[in-house]
């Protein structure tokens, strides 16, 4: 496994719509292992493939004390509620902002073995799922900021 470079703004890879993964083979699984190691080293609770310069629909999430979640070709199938959250991103260093996220979401994805699964997330997990899936569509949390005073330097 390897810790990879994390791409930050204004790198264009962060703004591309990532491609679907068609075959989940050993090179994809190696990429996922590297993403997990990179996320842990950062440290962060989530990482999407475009953040390591790979425009593919893959994301990993690791909430404190929870199992690692690997999402391949994830799709949000349901979202409910709205809440204001503080958010930051490894690809937007030095800032944090206040945005609105869903309270509960349901996502369909494939795992490392290619098996389809559903995951439900509330609050922090819902926020992480939305944040990482946004990355796969070239969207960053700063795009959801409603006014400049909601973004601050840290
Ligand atoms: Ni991010």
């Amino acid at each position: 496994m390897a810790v990879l470079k994390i791409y930050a703004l204004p790198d264009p890879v962060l703004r591309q719509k990532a491609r679907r993964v068609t075959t989940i083979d050993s090179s994809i699984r190696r990429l996922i292992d590297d993403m997990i190691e990179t996320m842990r080293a950062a440290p962060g609770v989530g990482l999407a493939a475009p953040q390591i310069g790979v425009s593919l629909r893959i994301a990993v999430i690791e909430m404190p004390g929870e199992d690692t979640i690997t999402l391949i070709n994830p799709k949000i199938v349901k979202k409910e509620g709205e809440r204001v959250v503080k958010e930051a991103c490894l690809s937007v260093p030095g800032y944090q902002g206040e945005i609105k996220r869903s309270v509960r979401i349901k996502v369909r994805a494939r795992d490392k073995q290619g098996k389809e699964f559903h995951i439900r997330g509330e609050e922090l997990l819902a926020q992480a799922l939305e944040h990482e899936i946004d990355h796969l569509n070239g969207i960053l949390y700063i795009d959801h900021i409603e006014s400049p005073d909601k973004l601050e330097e840290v």
Side-chain angles (χ1 to χ4, degrees):
M1 300 219 285
V3 173
L4 307 171
K5 176 193 154 187
I6 294 178
Y7 288 61
L9 275 182
D11 198 288
V13 71
L14 297 168
R15 291 311 198 171
Q16 287 166 19
K17 190 170 156 67
R19 282 175 289 112
R20 289 178 63 80
V21 177
T22 51
T23 310
I24 301 167
D25 55 16
S26 59
S27 70
I28 291 291
R29 281 189 280 271
R30 196 173 319 119
L31 176 73
I32 290 165
D33 287 343
D34 287 346
M35 285 174 61
I36 292 168
E37 196 174 346
T38 304
M39 166 179 68
R40 288 175 180 163
V45 296
L47 192 74
Q51 293 184 275
I52 47 138
V54 176
S55 194
L56 284 173
R57 304 187 79 77
I58 303 173
V60 293
I61 292 174
E62 201 169 67
M63 305 298 289
E66 302 285 334
D67 290 342
T68 310
I69 302 163
T70 297
L71 304 154
I72 300 172
N73 299 335
K75 186 170 170 41
I76 295 173
V77 292
K78 193 175 183 180
K79 49 181 166 181
E80 291 176 338
E82 196 176 70
R83 68 189 194 111
V84 174
V85 296
K86 271 260 165 72
E87 202 152 311
C89 177
L90 296 169
S91 295
V92 190
Y95 288 91
Q96 66 176 21
E98 217 176 71
I99 60 165
K100 285 177 185 155
R101 289 289 191 195
S102 304
V103 177
R104 279 173 298 278
I105 77 166
K106 185 178 170 186
V107 170
R108 183 181 67 224
R110 291 194 183 273
D111 66 15
K112 274 173 87 169
Q113 277 70 46
K115 192 168 173 287
E116 189 176 282
F117 68 99
H118 286 83
I119 182 166
R120 284 183 182 77
E122 278 201 28
E123 307 213 337
L124 273 179
L125 178 56
Q127 180 182 358
L129 287 162
E130 282 191 320
H131 180 113
E132 300 312 330
I133 293 170
D134 267 356
H135 270 301
L136 306 182
N137 295 316
I139 297 166
L140 300 168
Y141 83 87
I142 49 174
D143 302 335
H144 300 302
I145 297 252
E146 287 172 353
S147 67
D149 64 302
K150 304 281 187 196
L151 187 68
E152 56 176 348
E153 283 187 61
V154 287

